[in-house]
Amino acid sequence: MSDTWCTTYPFATPEVFDITDLHCDVTRIINDMMRDGQPIVLRGFDKLHTWNKELLSIRFLTDTHGHDNATCHDLRSHQDVEMPLRTFVKKACYTSLTEQRKNKDLLYAKDLAVPHQWRTVIMEKIIPPPLRWMGENDFNSFGSGNAAENLLLYIGPHNTWTPMHKDHCGTVAHNLMLDTAQDAHSIWFMVSVDNSKALEELWHTFNEDLELESFPASIEHLARATFPILVYKQQKGDLMVLPPNVYHQVINKGPATMKVAWSRLTMESLKLSITSILPRYREIFFKEAFNIKVIIKCSLEGFISILRNDPACPSFSKELVRKHFQDLLSLYRDIVLDEWVDIDGIHNDPRLRFSPQAMVFTSPTQVTKSSPISCDYCNTNIFNRHVHCNICSSSNESYDICTWCFAFGRGCKHRLTSVQFTESYTMRTLRQLYSDAADVWNIYSTQADTIPKDIIQLGRDLPFSSATLAYTRWHVFHNLPITPVSCHRCKQVKRNQLVFSCTNTHNNGQKWRQSNHRISCKLTFCEYCLFERFNLSWTDIFRNSGGPFICPRCSKSCDCSQCGNETVCHPKGPVNKLLYNDPSENPKNRGGVQDSISRASVSQGSKKRPRPQNTDIESDDEVNGMSPAFARELLSQTLQKCTDDEERTMQHLQELVSIINRRVHMTTGHPSMVSKQQRTR
């Protein structure tokens, strides 16, 4: 394909500004970029008098850091290779393109540390203040020990690439070309925020998922787009600036290019992270690059110090603090309210099949974290309250589950017996910080409106938080005596699942119709049947505090034989269809009723889906119709009858298998679930 492709639709050119132009107002340009969601290019940095071409060069890097080891990623074998930086640069820069094409490997040096001399020159003498890493417009500067180290160096030989992706946590992306070997350059393909959905649909036509960030599209692929794709040839001294959530793909051409890249956390980034990005990361099990919630807390503490004229605070001006203070406080409020356990709301809720008045709040166990904690199931960072298992933890690694995952029933095999509900900060500490921030703002603000000091009062009418849902599950199975109640749909007693009672009231037949006497339905359904048969998640049912629960029988959607709606079928597959990380790779993980990790494979076209598989008899459930205690009792009785006579022993074991089969068939209506291999054992 000739070079004319970049001048025809759908390819277009982004806005380009010359940094050497005296009329180039960087602040106005960046504000317009953030408003429009369109990437821009600032060129001419290598023409500035502060640009030191001898210092910012590949030769200087190899002369001073050539013996340092560099991690190079092989784009063909998808393996990481360690080699001295001097060896990699020699292979990349001083090998002809013909020889490079013959190589079996295609190495790309990524995420290298930027030399300290470069940091000072680039961030203090070349880059304008609004765009600086850890500068006045970067909330990452408040992260202290939790700040992400994302000022990184990239050296890309000919035909290396980065597939279509967007920067993590809604950050503003920056990429400055420092040096090239001969006439090397990089070709950027960028899609504005407004066309993200259309780009995702285009990727589906290639049988690829955009969120996996693994497909490097060719020019022929991109030419099929029905929306504009911005293309730019990045050369030495060009700075690419991309607003949050802009997808982009980069291909390096020529012997080698050397670039430095960084990301800035803006207020827009924090808003996007809390409202949409972090919830999506939890769904696809994507690991966070920034500890967003901790950074918001540290930023609020920094804002308070700035307004109080504390000299030991980051370089944010008071003007910017006043501009962002209320937005930051609002984000912090949402974070804290999601950590709050609404015990009063639980007491007044009639839907759970136990006495809510018997539930009292037990203060979580206090833990001290020396480093950020991430959930062992979904990989997202844990801000404060979480579930911890001492048995599955070791001196080298801890096993922790976030409240969102635990609310869904996820965790280790001890999740129903011996896990702890823990926290890193006390609720009093978090509430006090909000109160202090409200006091400071009410004193220093020129606005007439004041901010309420009690954060809990603001959350009284909100849906139940994930901490409330997780605490309910934890408290029910660890501290409350559970009265066995059978599920209306599966006719089983579920000791390992939450069971819900219908809150609907209706006339009980003709006898009561004239007297208008109404009674409660109170039919119970387990969370597995609600999800599997009726597409209802218990978290969605219970999240609305005090809301009604109309059971499937009252809504005439129950498909059991007793209700007479056997033709109604509501099959539901696993929720997690796209997973960036597979939780089953950790053998300690057990899924909830909605997770594919807890399901057996089912042949295509089967009308009935299998029940969740038990992987550990010590803690898992009686989902197969027989409790572990019952199985152990039968096994003990059988072994007591066994003698040294092998024939008699086999006879007793066959009797045990027969009893188990009858028990399973009687409770579930399913045929034998004891495999041939189990019988042999």
Side-chain angles (χ1 to χ4, degrees), residues 487-680:
C487 169
H488 170 76
R489 174 60 185 79
C490 64
K491 308 299 187 291
Q492 295 185 50
V493 176
K494 297 295 181 69
R495 298 176 182 271
N496 66 302
Q497 297 178 25
L498 296 176
V499 181
F500 298 88
S501 295
C502 179
T503 59
N504 188 32
T505 57
H506 56 84
N507 291 318
N508 188 18
Q510 185 69 27
K511 179 180 178 180
W512 302 103
R513 195 166 294 170
Q514 295 179 353
S515 62
N516 293 326
H517 182 78
R518 304 183 69 82
I519 64 172
S520 297
C521 170
K522 294 186 178 179
L523 273 186
T524 56
F525 287 79
C526 68
E527 58 177 310
Y528 173 78
C529 287
L530 286 174
F531 179 83
E532 182 69 15
R533 305 302 303 177
F534 309 109
N535 295 354
L536 296 173
S537 170
W538 90 272
T539 56
D540 295 335
I541 296 172
F542 194 57
R543 188 174 290 276
N544 293 323
S545 174
F549 167 51
I550 309 301
C551 74
R553 189 183 74 167
C554 291
S555 61
K556 301 187 183 304
S557 61
C558 184
D559 58 349
C560 73
S561 58
Q562 183 179 350
C563 294
N565 296 322
E566 295 183 3
T567 58
V568 179
C569 188
H570 312 272
K572 186 176 180 67
V575 169
N576 304 314
K577 296 180 180 179
L578 166 66
L579 297 181
Y580 200 87
N581 293 286
D582 187 0
S584 64
E585 293 179 356
N586 185 343
K588 299 176 184 177
N589 283 336
R590 303 291 190 274
V593 297
Q594 78 285 356
D595 293 307
S596 58
I597 188 176
S598 65
R599 297 171 181 269
S601 60
V602 60
S603 60
Q604 197 169 13
S606 175
K607 294 182 179 180
K608 291 186 178 180
R609 292 185 175 271
R611 299 176 181 275
Q613 293 291 301
N614 292 328
T615 55
D616 195 294
I617 198 172
E618 285 299 318
S619 65
D620 272 334
D621 325 316
E622 47 183 331
V623 294
N624 285 338
M626 182 180 63
S627 68
F630 181 80
R632 282 194 295 267
E633 182 180 359
L634 284 178
L635 181 61
S636 176
Q637 293 175 359
T638 303
L639 292 178
Q640 287 177 3
K641 299 177 183 178
C642 293
T643 63
D644 295 336
D645 187 353
E646 182 178 355
E647 182 177 353
R648 190 175 179 185
T649 300
M650 290 300 300
Q651 182 181 357
H652 283 304
L653 289 176
Q654 288 175 0
E655 290 177 3
L656 172 62
V657 170
S658 178
I659 293 173
I660 292 176
N661 286 339
R662 288 199 301 271
R663 173 79 175 185
V664 170
H665 181 77
M666 179 175 60
T667 55
T668 66
H670 285 251
S672 172
M673 294 186 184
V674 180
S675 66
K676 182 178 180 180
Q677 183 180 10
Q678 289 172 317
R679 293 193 190 103
T680 305

Side-chain angles (χ1 to χ4, degrees), residues 444-455:
Y444 291 96
S445 174
T446 58
Q447 300 180 13
D449 297 336
T450 59
I451 298 176
K453 293 177 58 176
D454 190 355
I455 188 174

Side-chain angles (χ1 to χ4, degrees), residues 218-355:
S218 65
I219 295 175
E220 290 80 3
H221 284 124
L222 297 175
R224 302 180 193 176
T226 58
F227 50 88
I229 295 180
L230 303 178
V231 182
Y232 186 77
K233 180 180 177 181
Q234 184 190 22
Q235 297 175 308
K236 183 177 178 179
D238 291 344
L239 174 66
M240 314 295 296
V241 185
L242 284 67
N245 290 342
V246 168
Y247 278 99
H248 53 284
Q249 175 175 300
V250 186
I251 302 176
N252 299 309
K253 294 292 183 180
T257 62
M258 184 175 69
K259 295 169 284 187
V260 62
W262 67 96
S263 299
R264 283 186 301 113
L265 268 176
T266 64
M267 177 53 66
E268 184 66 20
S269 306
L270 298 179
K271 290 180 181 178
L272 289 172
S273 294
I274 295 299
T275 57
S276 60
I277 296 177
L278 294 188
R280 182 55 182 164
Y281 283 179
R282 288 198 300 264
E283 292 176 356
I284 64 175
F285 302 167
F286 192 90
K287 189 172 182 62
E288 298 175 37
F290 297 85
N291 205 342
I292 294 294
K293 294 182 179 181
V294 173
I295 289 176
I296 290 176
K297 175 180 178 293
C298 295
S299 299
L300 186 60
E301 293 171 341
F303 275 23
I304 294 174
S305 299
I306 291 173
L307 291 181
R308 288 175 174 172
N309 296 319
D310 187 349
C313 55
S315 59
F316 263 59
S317 66
K318 282 192 175 182
E319 181 182 355
L320 286 175
V321 169
R322 292 191 177 97
K323 177 182 177 181
H324 297 312
F325 194 97
Q326 286 185 295
D327 290 335
L328 187 66
L329 188 60
S330 177
L331 294 177
Y332 178 75
R333 177 199 64 202
D334 294 341
I335 293 172
V336 174
L337 289 178
D338 196 50
E339 301 283 332
W340 177 51
V341 176
D342 187 2
I343 200 70
D344 294 332
I346 298 175
H347 285 169
N348 299 324
D349 200 296
R351 295 167 294 182
L352 284 175
R353 189 66 183 193
F354 63 87
S355 175

